[in-house]
Coordinates of all heavy atoms in Angstrom, one line a residue:
Q3 N 0.2 6.2 -9.9 CA 0.1 7.4 -10.7 C 0.9 8.6 -10.1 O 1.4 8.4 -9.0 CB -1.4 7.8 -10.9 CG -2.1 8.0 -9.5 CD -2.7 6.6 -9.1 OE1 -3.3 5.9 -9.9 NE2 -2.5 6.3 -7.8
S4 N 0.9 9.7 -10.8 CA 1.6 10.9 -10.3 C 0.7 11.6 -9.3 O -0.5 11.4 -9.3 CB 2.0 11.8 -11.4 OG 0.9 12.3 -12.1
L5 N 1.3 12.4 -8.5 CA 0.5 13.2 -7.5 C 1.1 14.5 -7.3 O 2.4 14.7 -7.4 CB 0.5 12.4 -6.1 CG -0.1 13.1 -4.9 CD1 -0.7 12.0 -4.0 CD2 1.0 13.8 -4.1
S6 N 0.3 15.6 -7.1 CA 0.8 16.9 -6.9 C -0.1 17.6 -6.0 O -1.2 17.1 -5.7 CB 1.0 17.7 -8.2 OG -0.3 17.8 -8.9
G7 N 0.3 18.8 -5.6 CA -0.6 19.6 -4.7 C 0.0 20.8 -4.2 O 1.0 21.3 -4.7
D8 N -0.5 21.3 -3.1 CA 0.0 22.5 -2.4 C -0.4 22.5 -1.0 O -1.1 21.6 -0.5 CB -0.5 23.8 -3.1 CG -2.0 23.9 -3.2 OD1 -2.7 23.5 -2.2 OD2 -2.5 24.3 -4.2
F9 N 0.2 23.4 -0.2 CA -0.1 23.4 1.2 C 0.0 24.9 1.8 O 0.5 25.8 1.1 CB 0.9 22.5 2.0 CG 2.3 23.0 2.0 CD1 2.8 23.8 3.1 CD2 3.2 22.7 1.0 CE1 4.1 24.2 3.1 CE2 4.5 23.1 1.0 CZ 5.0 23.9 2.1
T10 N -0.6 25.1 2.9 CA -0.5 26.3 3.6 C -0.1 26.0 5.1 O -0.2 24.9 5.6 CB -1.9 27.1 3.7 OG1 -2.8 26.3 4.5 CG2 -2.4 27.3 2.3
F11 N 0.4 27.1 5.7 CA 0.6 27.0 7.2 C -0.4 27.9 7.9 O -0.5 29.0 7.5 CB 2.1 27.4 7.5 CG 2.4 27.4 9.0 CD1 2.5 26.2 9.7 CD2 2.4 28.6 9.7 CE1 2.8 26.2 11.0 CE2 2.7 28.6 11.0 CZ 2.9 27.4 11.7
T12 N -1.0 27.4 8.9 CA -2.0 28.1 9.6 C -1.5 28.8 10.8 O -1.4 30.1 10.9 CB -3.2 27.2 10.0 OG1 -3.7 26.5 8.9 CG2 -4.4 28.0 10.6
A13 N -1.2 28.1 11.9 CA -0.6 28.6 13.1 C -0.1 27.5 14.0 O -0.5 26.3 13.8 CB -1.7 29.5 13.9
N14 N 0.7 27.8 15.0 CA 1.2 26.8 15.9 C 1.9 25.7 15.1 O 2.9 25.9 14.5 CB 0.1 26.3 16.8 CG -0.6 27.3 17.6 OD1 0.1 28.2 18.2 ND2 -1.9 27.3 17.7
N15 N 1.3 24.5 15.1 CA 2.0 23.4 14.4 C 1.0 22.8 13.3 O 1.0 21.6 13.0 CB 2.4 22.3 15.3 CG 1.3 21.5 16.0 OD1 0.2 22.1 16.3 ND2 1.5 20.3 16.3
I16 N 0.1 23.7 12.8 CA -1.1 23.2 12.0 C -1.0 23.8 10.7 O -0.7 25.0 10.5 CB -2.4 23.5 12.7 CG1 -2.4 22.9 14.1 CG2 -3.6 23.0 11.9 CD1 -3.6 23.4 15.0
G17 N -1.4 23.1 9.6 CA -1.6 23.6 8.3 C -2.6 22.8 7.5 O -3.2 21.9 8.0
T18 N -2.8 23.2 6.2 CA -3.7 22.5 5.3 C -2.9 22.1 4.1 O -1.9 22.7 3.7 CB -4.9 23.4 4.9 OG1 -4.4 24.5 4.2 CG2 -5.6 23.9 6.2
A19 N -3.4 21.0 3.4 CA -2.8 20.5 2.2 C -3.8 20.0 1.3 O -4.9 19.5 1.7 CB -1.7 19.4 2.5
A20 N -3.5 20.1 0.0 CA -4.4 19.5 -1.0 C -3.6 18.6 -1.9 O -2.5 19.0 -2.3 CB -5.1 20.6 -1.8
M21 N -4.0 17.4 -2.2 CA -3.3 16.5 -3.1 C -4.2 16.0 -4.2 O -5.4 15.6 -4.0 CB -2.9 15.2 -2.3 CG -1.9 15.6 -1.2 SD -1.3 14.0 -0.4 CE -0.2 14.8 0.9
T22 N -3.7 16.1 -5.4 CA -4.4 15.7 -6.6 C -3.8 14.5 -7.3 O -2.6 14.5 -7.5 CB -4.5 16.9 -7.6 OG1 -5.1 18.0 -7.0 CG2 -5.3 16.6 -8.9
F23 N -4.6 13.5 -7.7 CA -4.2 12.4 -8.4 C -5.4 11.7 -9.1 O -6.5 12.2 -8.9 CB -3.5 11.4 -7.4 CG -4.4 10.8 -6.3 CD1 -5.1 9.6 -6.5 CD2 -4.7 11.6 -5.2 CE1 -5.9 9.1 -5.5 CE2 -5.5 11.1 -4.2 CZ -6.2 9.9 -4.3
V24 N -5.1 10.7 -9.8 CA -6.2 10.0 -10.5 C -6.5 8.7 -9.8 O -5.7 7.9 -9.6 CB -5.8 9.7 -12.0 CG1 -6.8 8.9 -12.7 CG2 -5.5 11.0 -12.8
V25 N -7.8 8.6 -9.4 CA -8.3 7.3 -8.8 C -8.4 6.3 -9.9 O -9.0 6.5 -10.9 CB -9.7 7.6 -8.1 CG1 -10.2 6.3 -7.6 CG2 -9.5 8.6 -7.0
P26 N -7.8 5.1 -9.7 CA -7.8 4.0 -10.7 C -9.3 3.7 -11.2 O -10.2 3.6 -10.3 CB -7.2 2.8 -10.0 CG -6.3 3.5 -9.0 CD -7.0 4.7 -8.5
T27 N -9.4 3.6 -12.5 CA -10.7 3.3 -13.2 C -11.7 4.5 -13.0 O -12.8 4.3 -13.5 CB -11.4 2.0 -12.7 OG1 -11.9 2.2 -11.4 CG2 -10.4 0.9 -12.7
K28 N -11.3 5.6 -12.4 CA -12.3 6.7 -12.2 C -11.7 7.9 -12.8 O -11.4 8.0 -14.0 CB -12.6 6.9 -10.7 CG -13.3 5.7 -10.1 CD -13.7 5.9 -8.7 CE -14.4 4.7 -8.1 NZ -14.8 4.9 -6.7
S29 N -11.6 9.0 -12.1 CA -11.1 10.3 -12.6 C -10.2 11.0 -11.7 O -10.0 10.5 -10.6 CB -12.4 11.1 -13.0 OG -13.1 11.4 -11.8
Q30 N -9.7 12.1 -12.1 CA -8.9 12.9 -11.2 C -9.7 13.4 -10.0 O -10.8 13.8 -10.1 CB -8.3 14.1 -12.0 CG -7.4 15.0 -11.2 CD -6.7 16.0 -12.0 OE1 -5.8 15.7 -12.8 NE2 -7.1 17.3 -11.9
I31 N -9.0 13.4 -8.9 CA -9.6 13.9 -7.6 C -8.6 14.7 -6.8 O -7.4 14.5 -6.9 CB -10.1 12.7 -6.8 CG1 -11.0 13.1 -5.7 CG2 -9.0 11.8 -6.3 CD1 -11.7 11.9 -5.0
T32 N -9.1 15.6 -6.1 CA -8.3 16.4 -5.1 C -8.8 16.1 -3.7 O -10.0 16.3 -3.5 CB -8.4 17.9 -5.4 OG1 -7.8 18.1 -6.7 CG2 -7.6 18.7 -4.4
L33 N -8.0 15.7 -2.9 CA -8.3 15.4 -1.5 C -7.7 16.5 -0.6 O -6.5 16.9 -0.8 CB -7.8 14.1 -1.0 CG -8.3 12.9 -1.7 CD1 -7.8 11.6 -1.1 CD2 -9.8 12.8 -1.8
N34 N -8.4 17.0 0.4 CA -8.0 18.1 1.3 C -7.7 17.5 2.7 O -8.5 16.7 3.2 CB -9.0 19.2 1.3 CG -9.2 19.8 0.0 OD1 -8.4 20.7 -0.4 ND2 -10.3 19.5 -0.7
F35 N -6.7 18.0 3.3 CA -6.2 17.5 4.6 C -5.9 18.7 5.5 O -5.5 19.8 5.0 CB -4.9 16.7 4.4 CG -5.1 15.4 3.6 CD1 -5.0 15.5 2.2 CD2 -5.4 14.2 4.2 CE1 -5.1 14.4 1.4 CE2 -5.6 13.1 3.4 CZ -5.4 13.1 2.0
I36 N -5.9 18.4 6.8 CA -5.3 19.2 7.8 C -4.1 18.4 8.3 O -4.2 17.2 8.5 CB -6.2 19.6 8.9 CG1 -7.3 20.6 8.4 CG2 -5.5 20.2 10.1 CD1 -8.3 21.0 9.5
Y37 N -3.0 19.0 8.5 CA -1.8 18.3 9.0 C -1.3 19.0 10.3 O -1.6 20.1 10.6 CB -0.7 18.3 8.0 CG 0.0 19.6 7.6 CD1 1.0 20.2 8.4 CD2 -0.4 20.3 6.4 CE1 1.5 21.4 8.1 CE2 0.2 21.5 6.1 CZ 1.1 22.0 6.9 OH 1.7 23.2 6.6
F38 N -0.6 18.2 11.1 CA 0.0 18.6 12.4 C 1.4 18.2 12.4 O 1.8 17.0 12.2 CB -0.8 17.9 13.5 CG -2.2 18.4 13.7 CD1 -3.2 17.8 12.9 CD2 -2.6 19.3 14.6 CE1 -4.5 18.2 13.0 CE2 -3.9 19.7 14.7 CZ -4.9 19.2 13.9
F39 N 2.3 19.1 12.7 CA 3.7 18.8 12.9 C 4.0 18.2 14.2 O 3.5 18.7 15.3 CB 4.6 20.1 12.9 CG 4.8 20.7 11.5 CD1 4.2 21.9 11.1 CD2 5.7 20.2 10.6 CE1 4.4 22.5 9.9 CE2 5.9 20.7 9.4 CZ 5.3 21.9 9.0
V40 N 4.7 17.0 14.2 CA 5.4 16.6 15.4 C 6.7 17.2 15.4 O 7.2 17.7 16.4 CB 5.5 15.0 15.4 CG1 6.3 14.6 16.6 CG2 4.1 14.4 15.4
S41 N 7.3 17.2 14.2 CA 8.6 17.9 13.9 C 8.6 18.1 12.4 O 7.8 17.6 11.7 CB 9.8 17.0 14.3 OG 9.9 15.9 13.4
P42 N 9.6 18.9 11.9 CA 9.7 19.0 10.4 C 9.9 17.7 9.7 O 9.7 17.6 8.5 CB 10.9 19.9 10.3 CG 11.0 20.8 11.5 CD 10.6 19.8 12.6
A43 N 10.2 16.6 10.4 CA 10.5 15.3 9.8 C 9.3 14.4 10.1 O 9.4 13.2 9.6 CB 11.8 14.7 10.4
D44 N 8.3 14.8 10.8 CA 7.2 13.9 11.1 C 5.9 14.6 11.2 O 5.8 15.6 12.1 CB 7.5 13.2 12.5 CG 6.6 12.1 12.9 OD1 5.7 11.8 12.1 OD2 6.8 11.5 14.0
L45 N 4.9 14.3 10.4 CA 3.6 15.0 10.3 C 2.5 14.0 10.3 O 2.6 12.9 9.8 CB 3.5 15.9 9.1 CG 4.5 17.0 8.9 CD1 5.8 16.5 8.2 CD2 3.9 18.2 8.1
Y46 N 1.4 14.4 10.9 CA 0.1 13.6 10.8 C -0.9 14.3 10.0 O -1.1 15.6 10.2 CB -0.4 13.3 12.2 CG 0.4 12.2 12.9 CD1 1.5 12.4 13.7 CD2 0.0 10.8 12.7 CE1 2.1 11.3 14.3 CE2 0.6 9.8 13.3 CZ 1.7 10.1 14.1 OH 2.4 9.0 14.7
F47 N -1.6 13.6 9.2 CA -2.6 14.1 8.3 C -4.0 13.5 8.5 O -4.1 12.3 8.9 CB -2.2 13.8 6.8 CG -1.2 14.7 6.2 CD1 0.1 14.8 6.7 CD2 -1.5 15.6 5.2 CE1 1.1 15.6 6.2 CE2 -0.6 16.4 4.6 CZ 0.7 16.4 5.1
I48 N -5.0 14.3 8.3 CA -6.4 13.8 8.4 C -7.2 14.5 7.3 O -7.1 15.7 7.1 CB -7.1 14.0 9.8 CG1 -8.5 13.4 9.8 CG2 -7.1 15.5 10.2 CD1 -9.1 13.3 11.2
E49 N -7.9 13.7 6.5 CA -8.7 14.2 5.4 C -10.0 15.0 6.0 O -10.6 14.5 6.9 CB -9.2 13.1 4.5 CG -9.9 13.6 3.2 CD -10.5 12.5 2.4 OE1 -10.3 11.3 2.7 OE2 -11.2 12.9 1.4

């Protein structure tokens, strides 16, 4: 399915993100994450 969302930058190498998509056989859901930059090309996310 398609996916969209938005993000913020907090401080240091940390930010938040939200991703919205449709769970198969269920309904649309938005998941929230905190992310950490290793570099602009490499990030780690946790819900």
